[in-house]
């Protein structure tokens, strides 16, 4: 069978999907109740385009996600978040930012030298950059955290901390705009 109409609406003129990966997963609430199935299905299409006439599109990866409630009961207070590890080469000089007006989160090397070490390969003077842009949804918030620390800016370890971070608050509940 073919891909559904939601995918078809994302066509780009003169662009052909060079690679397409389709996955279906069934969400669990994980730490909320030891892996109990919520009845949420996530369909995901990941594709890259063969578009020699447009270098921006030719260098992009597109992700289309469809969330379906397969549960007989409505789900309230649903939050959907994307977690990414934005280490670019050597992470010691990485900066992360948000352009809310463009629905974009980005990362880049702070200076023009991304050094290699004995354990990390850096990019040298050609420092990398990365961005992700929501094309069909509004970016409600973004938050960066330091893994492996026990500060309010570190990653979540409880259900309450996950919800706080999905609401653009530090894990202790403090709004990120107030700090």
């Amino acid at each position: 069978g073919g891909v559904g109409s939601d995918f078809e609406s994302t066509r780009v003129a003169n662009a052909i999907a060079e690679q397409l990966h389709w996955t279906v997963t069934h969400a669990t609430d994980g730490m909320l109740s030891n892996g109990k199935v919520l009845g949420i299905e996530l369909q995901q299409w990941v594709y890259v385009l063969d578009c020699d006439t447009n270098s921006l599109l030719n260098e992009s990866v597109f992700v289309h996600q469809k969330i379906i409630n397969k549960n007989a009961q409505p789900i309230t207070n649903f939050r959907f978040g994307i977690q990414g590890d934005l280490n670019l080469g050597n992470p010691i000089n990485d900066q992360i930012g948000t352009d809310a007006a463009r629905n974009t989160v980005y990362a880049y090397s702070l200076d023009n030298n991304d050094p290699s070490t004995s354990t990390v390969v850096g990019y040298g003077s050609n420092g990398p950059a990365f961005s992700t842009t929501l094309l069909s949804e509004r970016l409600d918030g973004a938050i960066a955290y330091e893994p492996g620390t026990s500060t309010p800016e570190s990653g979540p370890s409880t259900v309450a901390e996950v919800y706080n971070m999905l609401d653009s608050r530090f894990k202790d509940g403090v709004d990120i705009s107030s700090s």
Side-chain angles (χ1 to χ4, degrees), residues 73-95:
Q73 300 296 318
I75 295 174
T76 58
N77 297 325
F78 183 79
R79 302 281 192 277
F80 183 79
I82 301 170
Q83 181 179 357
D85 186 351
L86 301 181
N87 288 341
L88 303 173
N90 189 335
I92 78 165
N93 60 353
D94 289 353
Q95 297 294 304

Side-chain angles (χ1 to χ4, degrees), residues 7 19 59 63 71 79 83 85 94 97 110 112 125 140 149 153 158 162 177:
F7 178 77
Q19 294 182 38
E59 299 290 327
V63 179
N71 195 329
R79 302 281 192 277
Q83 181 179 357
D85 186 351
D94 289 353
L110 183 60
N112 290 329
S125 61
D140 288 329
T149 65
E153 296 83 16
T158 68
V162 169
S177 62

Side-chain angles (χ1 to χ4, degrees), residues 3-13 47 64 136:
V3 177
S5 61
D6 286 350
F7 178 77
E8 294 296 325
S9 67
T10 62
R11 288 186 183 183
V12 177
Y47 55 101
H64 173 87
S136 62

Side-chain angles (χ1 to χ4, degrees), residues 154-169:
S154 65
S157 57
T158 68
V159 173
E161 291 173 354
V162 169
Y163 277 100
N164 283 339
M165 295 184 90
L166 287 171
D167 282 335
S168 298
R169 294 177 283 168

Side-chain angles (χ1 to χ4, degrees), residues 16-84:
I16 298 169
E18 183 175 288
Q19 294 182 38
L20 172 67
H21 301 275
W22 182 63
T23 59
V24 175
T25 57
H26 298 277
T28 65
D29 58 4
M31 74 167 124
L32 296 178
S33 63
N34 298 320
K36 176 184 143 200
V37 175
L38 285 176
I40 296 173
E41 180 177 287
L42 173 64
Q43 297 179 1
Q44 180 171 275
W45 295 262
V46 179
Y47 55 101
V48 295
L49 301 176
D50 181 7
C51 189
D52 293 334
T53 60
N54 186 321
S55 63
L56 181 62
L57 289 177
N58 207 39
E59 299 290 327
S60 299
V61 175
F62 292 87
V63 179
H64 173 87
Q65 296 175 324
K66 184 176 184 179
I67 300 170
I68 303 166
N69 181 8
K70 298 275 186 166
N71 195 329
Q73 300 296 318
I75 295 174
T76 58
N77 297 325
F78 183 79
R79 302 281 192 277
F80 183 79
I82 301 170
Q83 181 179 357

